[in-house]
Amino acid sequence: MKNELTHILMRLDVEGQKTTVFFAALTPAEWEQAVYTTGSRWRVKQVLAHFISAERAYQYYIKNVLAGGSGAPSDLDINAFNDSEAPAISVAPVDELIASFSRARQETMELTVSMTELDLRRTSIHPWFGEKELSWFLKLLYRHNQMHLQDVRKVLETGRPLTHLEANSN
């Protein structure tokens, strides 16, 4: 059986490619489709921007833990972070957003390759989920995107945004 690092790296790669292919196939109208009716009320373009900002933030905090730090502060307001980051990033043209996501995912994979199995056991605080191992954070990067992509697919199929009760992600 493959070791956990190899498995995580493979999943980051495969899911990153799937995400890139999905977004590259969207029409201009689909990019502007509203996804959520509450909270941030993101459009599809802002969901991809959210993927980029989350990926970069996780890289920063994982590097901090690997260098002996504690990672994200426990009082980090994720909603405020997301509400400011995604709209700011989403002003970029679609092709730049797709390229930026691909670069960010490649950098996450490079960071993962530099880690050891023991590094995966290091812990950090996630403001919503509490103390978790770095392996959990790396897995969350692709699982989190899968949940949002499931929401986007529902919206594109139905043509109507999701309420918080219908959404798979937070």
Side-chain angles (χ1 to χ4, degrees):
M1 180 171 182
K2 295 180 182 177
N3 65 32
E4 190 171 14
L5 268 172
T6 302
H7 176 75
I8 291 170
L9 185 61
M10 183 269 307
R11 292 299 309 250
L12 286 167
D13 185 26
V14 168
E15 295 303 325
Q17 288 179 42
K18 286 180 185 177
T19 299
T20 300
V21 167
F22 174 80
F23 282 111
L26 296 180
T27 67
E30 289 172 326
W31 281 101
E32 296 306 320
Q33 173 67 49
V35 178
Y36 303 111
T37 62
T38 56
S40 59
R41 298 179 185 218
W42 288 335
R43 298 191 176 285
V44 171
K45 192 173 182 185
Q46 291 166 323
V47 171
L48 179 56
H50 171 59
F51 290 0
I52 296 164
S53 68
E55 193 101 11
R56 298 263 184 232
Y58 277 57
Q59 290 168 5
Y60 176 83
Y61 291 123
I62 289 170
K63 287 177 186 176
N64 177 269
V65 170
L66 293 173
S70 59
S74 59
D75 63 349
L76 176 70
D77 185 337
I78 294 175
N79 288 330
F81 174 81
N82 289 338
D83 288 345
S84 66
E85 289 284 312
I89 292 170
S90 71
V91 299
V94 167
D95 58 335
E96 288 180 28
L97 289 173
I98 294 170
S100 184
F101 171 76
S102 293
R103 277 191 308 276
R105 179 51 57 94
Q106 184 60 42
E107 291 165 6
T108 298
M109 291 168 47
E110 290 167 6
L111 176 60
T112 304
V113 166
S114 76
M115 296 170 66
T116 67
E117 291 285 329
L118 288 176
D119 288 332
L120 294 178
R121 305 287 76 84
R122 293 181 189 220
T123 61
S124 181
I125 298 293
H126 189 287
W128 276 353
F129 299 111
E131 187 172 341
K132 299 290 183 184
E133 292 183 342
L134 292 187
S135 63
W136 181 89
F137 282 89
L138 290 166
K139 292 172 187 174
L140 185 62
L141 278 171
Y142 57 83
R143 290 174 177 163
H144 164 259
N145 292 5
Q146 289 171 330
M147 290 186 303
H148 277 296
L149 284 172
Q150 188 172 359
D151 291 345
V152 171
R153 284 183 179 96
K154 282 182 196 174
V155 165
L156 294 177
E157 287 173 13
T158 65
R160 83 177 168 77
L162 302 175
T163 68
H164 70 285
L165 296 174
E166 298 169 307
N168 290 307
S169 51
N170 292 316

